[in-house]
Amino acid sequence: GGEGDTQGVFADTAPRHVGGLMFLCRHSRPDTSFAVGRLARRVAPGRWRKREDRSLARLFAYLRKTVEFCLFLYIVPGEATRVVCYVDADFAADLDTRRSTTCYLTFIIGELSRALLGWNSNLQKAVSLSTCEAEYRALVDAGKYVLGSASLHDFHRGLESSTTGTTTTPIEIYGDAEATQGVVRKGSSSNLRYMRKTGGISFAWAKENLSQYLKRVPSPDNTSDIGTKSLAAEEFARHRDGLGVF
């Protein structure tokens, strides 16, 4: 058999290797999140193949080459800041489950300040039947995180934040899926009417809580692409700079 049929030589030690990589990517190297997440889904007994050996070796080689890189967070005390989120989804990207991949990145940004507050790259919990649905699921997940982050930001700044989810911190949520943002602003979608009954509740929540924060970003400038798919070296390096990893 080929690489997809032959057990990898690191099959027994893969959980230990990937566990260490997960700790690293969650704390200081968000640029590795997509690669680590893909490997983490293969560590179960019987799933690790020679292609995963090769991916693991490439990832370690990349980390050796960039061992001096750090996640830089720069906050100017007293500066007016806002919470900025970039979100994206890659439709049906996982060939085993056909689930889509979500990535969102949340920053604190001011005139001089820039700090990556949180990041997430993972498979969605259900299979989406269209790109619009995948992008919508990603946007709602990102929105929930952003609203919580903004409230926490208020708390640390000594400002009041109500229990209804409103915040005094300016929020911007950037995505490149114009149709999905239209669904959120409208609060409904004929193209997504096949979604279960709770979809209507989700549409109403998103319209009420997220629509005022949505902004469009061209796909090449959407930094969250780095957490949804493999990228060409130049594009990857550009988005890595956007994360603040140098």
Side-chain angles (χ1 to χ4, degrees):
E3 284 190 338
D5 303 319
T6 306
Q7 179 172 290
V9 296
F10 298 126
D12 293 336
T13 58
R16 177 166 55 86
H17 294 316
V18 175
L21 290 168
M22 290 177 69
F23 182 86
L24 176 69
C25 81
R26 288 305 307 159
H27 288 83
S28 62
R29 292 299 298 269
D31 53 314
T32 66
S33 293
F34 176 71
V36 172
R38 190 161 56 177
L39 288 174
R41 295 193 289 272
R42 308 297 300 182
V43 297
R47 300 200 67 194
W48 191 274
R49 298 290 184 260
K50 282 191 174 295
R51 64 189 176 196
E52 279 73 52
D53 282 345
R54 190 171 61 182
S55 296
L56 182 65
R58 280 201 304 263
L59 182 52
F60 275 123
Y62 168 71
L63 288 171
R64 282 195 298 270
K65 185 178 179 181
T66 59
V67 68
E68 301 294 334
F69 283 32
C70 297
L71 174 62
F72 284 86
L73 312 175
Y74 186 67
I75 298 290
V76 177
E79 183 182 56
T81 54
R82 63 195 188 278
V83 174
V84 176
C85 177
Y86 290 88
V87 58
D88 196 19
D90 191 26
F91 175 58
D94 185 73
L95 297 181
D96 292 330
T97 65
R98 305 310 298 183
R99 292 185 182 182
S100 304
T101 304
T102 287
C103 178
Y104 52 85
L105 312 166
T106 306
F107 297 84
I108 298 294
I109 294 179
E111 184 176 353
L112 298 175
S113 301
R114 185 179 178 89
L116 181 59
L117 182 67
W119 57 92
N120 182 68
S121 172
N122 63 2
L123 284 187
Q124 296 181 357
K125 295 180 180 179
V127 176
S128 295
L129 298 181
S130 66
T131 300
C132 186
E133 182 183 350
E135 296 278 4
Y136 176 78
R137 292 182 185 276
L139 182 56
V140 169
D141 285 346
K144 292 175 182 176
Y145 183 86
V146 168
L147 292 177
S149 300
S151 296
L152 182 62
H153 186 247
D154 286 349
F155 175 78
H156 284 295
R157 292 172 63 199
L159 302 174
E160 292 185 359
S161 180
S162 76
T163 57
T164 62
T166 57
T167 174
T168 59
T169 298
I171 297 173
E172 298 170 2
I173 302 176
Y174 288 92
D176 54 26
E178 188 172 2
T180 303
Q181 292 189 0
V183 169
V184 173
R185 292 191 177 98
K186 185 179 179 182
S188 63
S189 171
S190 59
N191 292 330
L192 298 181
R193 60 182 178 270
Y194 57 82
M195 292 176 67
R196 60 177 188 248
K197 292 181 179 180
T198 54
I201 300 173
S202 175
F203 293 148
W205 180 89
K207 179 180 180 181
E208 179 177 315
N209 292 281
L210 303 180
S211 59
Q212 65 269 39
Y213 305 129
L214 301 182
K215 294 182 179 294
R216 179 87 161 81
V217 63
S219 293
D221 298 328
N222 192 345
T223 308
S224 58
D225 256 5
I226 198 171
T228 62
K229 60 178 77 72
S230 298
L231 300 174
E234 183 177 344
E235 187 178 9
F236 179 86
R238 180 166 55 83
H239 286 320
R240 181 182 62 202
D241 289 347
L243 296 174
V245 177
F246 310 105

